[in-house]
Amino acid sequence: MRIGVIGCGAIGSVIVDAILRGEVRAELVALMDIYPEKCEGLLKKFAAKYSIPVCKELEELLRIRPQLVIEAASQQAVRDYVPRILTEGIDVVVLSVGALLDEELYKEVIEATKKGNTKVYVPTGAIAGIDAVKALQPLGIKRVVLRSYKNVKAFDKEVLKRLGFSEVKEMTKIFEGEGKVAVKLFPANVNVVAALALASGRIPWVEIYADPARNKNVHEIEVEGEASKIYMKIENVPHPDNPKTSYLAALSVVRLIKQLTEGSGLVIGT
Ligand SMILES: NC(=O)c1ccc[n+]([C@@H]2O[C@H](COP(=O)([O-])OP(=O)(O)OC[C@H]3O[C@@H](n4cnc5c(N)ncnc54)[C@H](O)[C@@H]3O)[C@@H](O)[C@H]2O)c1
């Protein structure tokens, strides 16, 4: 499979590494970033034997005709590029899934998949259990709660001050409320909230805790459906290059590419 990657940051680098090492059976045909030097840096770092084009704009990437484009850039990149790529008949993996909480953009993306006869893949990312949440959804889900625990340093000082938490000396609940409010105050949680919302059909209720002693990003998720009640706890190691991103999120994309490229007769998980 011919793959293009938009966004050569923490997640992009794990994907590029996996392709160039041959961990996944795919061909890297294009890289793109608003800072092209980041792509060049990645290629140097992984000592790529072949010259892989670094695109300065979307049209250049489209001319290369990848079969799959991985967006590992930003919500703005989803807005600016994803509908166009899909309309051109190219499938897309979206990491900045928070962008799809915008109903207008969501509709535009779905429309583009119809026009291009294409697919958008949203990997499970930094959490787990999305398969079970999807399965429960048709019978009805009554409650979705997300509790996130992070080191206090992961939060914007100004936001903490505004919420009345200028000094956090022990684990403190700094927010409880609607997911749509949470993602405005704490954009770092937007992808997890959006993935749960898309899978369950409900915007989660969110609690956020700041803890000076914590070195992992922890998500506790409760989903109460007609058929099951699920409780999940995910303790994520932050990516060394970007502490906001969990390493698991990048690994989930590598796994997805494997699924799309390796034609094993056994499919595990839904
Ligand atoms: N789905 C999930 O569970 C999950 C988990 C972690 C991160 N994410 C999201 O994935 C995205 C990438 O995460 P990351 O940790 O690799 O970020 P990063 O900041 O390390 O890297 C992003 C790269 O994309 C580039 N970029 C930004 N906007 C761009 C644009 N409009 N066009 C081209 N390039 C652009 C940046 O220059 C940067 O090199 C972010 O939006 C992040 O919120 C999703």
Side-chain angles (χ1 to χ4, degrees):
M1 180 182 277
R2 293 162 53 77
I3 292 184
V5 176
I6 302 181
C8 292
I11 294 181
S13 75
V14 174
I15 297 163
V16 167
D17 180 40
I19 300 176
L20 295 179
R21 272 190 299 105
E23 188 186 336
V24 289
R25 271 191 242 142
E27 186 192 352
L28 186 64
V29 295
L31 289 174
M32 184 172 143
D33 197 293
I34 30 170
Y35 299 108
E37 61 276 16
K38 295 190 90 171
C39 307
E40 319 273 4
L42 267 195
L43 292 173
K44 255 192 217 143
K45 182 171 163 193
F46 298 123
K49 280 181 255 157
Y50 310 102
S51 70
I52 293 153
V54 172
C55 305
K56 298 227 163 43
E57 51 182 45
L58 184 64
E59 293 311 310
E60 222 177 315
L61 181 131
L62 293 175
R63 278 197 293 277
I64 295 170
R65 297 303 303 168
Q67 291 163 293
L68 180 75
V69 169
I70 299 168
E71 174 282 316
S74 62
Q75 292 196 30
Q76 194 57 43
V78 177
R79 265 178 220 112
D80 291 347
Y81 316 133
V82 171
R84 179 78 211 288
I85 302 170
L86 290 165
T87 313
E88 287 289 318
I90 299 166
D91 293 336
V92 181
V93 176
V94 169
L95 261 305
S96 310
V97 54
L100 300 179
L101 280 181
D102 174 340
E103 283 167 31
E104 281 306 306
L105 182 60
Y106 176 85
K107 278 189 208 145
E108 200 187 327
V109 165
I110 299 299
E111 206 43 50
T113 60
K114 289 182 190 152
K115 275 193 206 143
N117 191 24
T118 40
K119 283 199 167 70
V120 177
Y121 297 98
V122 176
T124 307
I127 52 169
I130 287 289
D131 51 353
V133 179
K134 281 193 302 185
L136 289 175
Q137 201 234 340
L139 276 191
I141 290 180
K142 288 183 252 175
R143 214 166 79 94
V144 182
V145 179
L146 167 69
R147 287 185 207 98
S148 292
Y149 304 79
K150 289 183 183 169
N151 189 289
V152 65
K153 288 190 193 131
F155 301 101
D156 187 322
K157 277 195 184 143
E158 280 308 307
V159 174
L160 287 178
K161 218 172 174 182
R162 227 185 317 139
L163 296 173
F165 301 101
S166 311
E167 254 190 281
V168 177
K169 291 199 169 136
E170 57 191 22
M171 188 169 86
T172 307
K173 189 200 283 186
I174 55 169
F175 176 83
E176 176 165 5
E178 268 292 329
K180 281 206 172 171
V181 181
V183 298
K184 288 207 174 98
L185 287 168
F186 308 101
N189 270 319
V190 69
N191 296 303
V192 174
V193 169
L196 282 170
L198 290 172
S200 69
R202 289 189 85 94
I203 301 281
W205 184 256
V206 177
E207 292 174 27
I208 297 180
Y209 295 80
D211 182 353
R214 201 169 285 266
N215 59 5
K216 297 216 173 89
N217 296 339
V218 178
H219 298 297
E220 284 175 359
I221 296 164
E222 271 179 54
V223 179
E224 202 175 330
E226 286 298 329
S228 311
K229 186 172 175 188
I230 302 172
Y231 174 75
M232 298 175 267
K233 180 175 179 181
I234 305 111
E235 284 189 20
N236 283 324
V237 175
H239 190 290
D241 295 342
N242 182 353
K244 278 188 284 179
T245 285
S246 302
Y247 191 31
L248 176 66
L251 296 178
S252 85
V253 186
V254 174
R255 180 67 230 182
L256 172 64
I257 306 171
K258 269 192 174 191
Q259 255 162 243
L260 296 174
T261 53
E262 288 174 16
S264 163
L266 177 67
V267 180
I268 300 176
T270 46

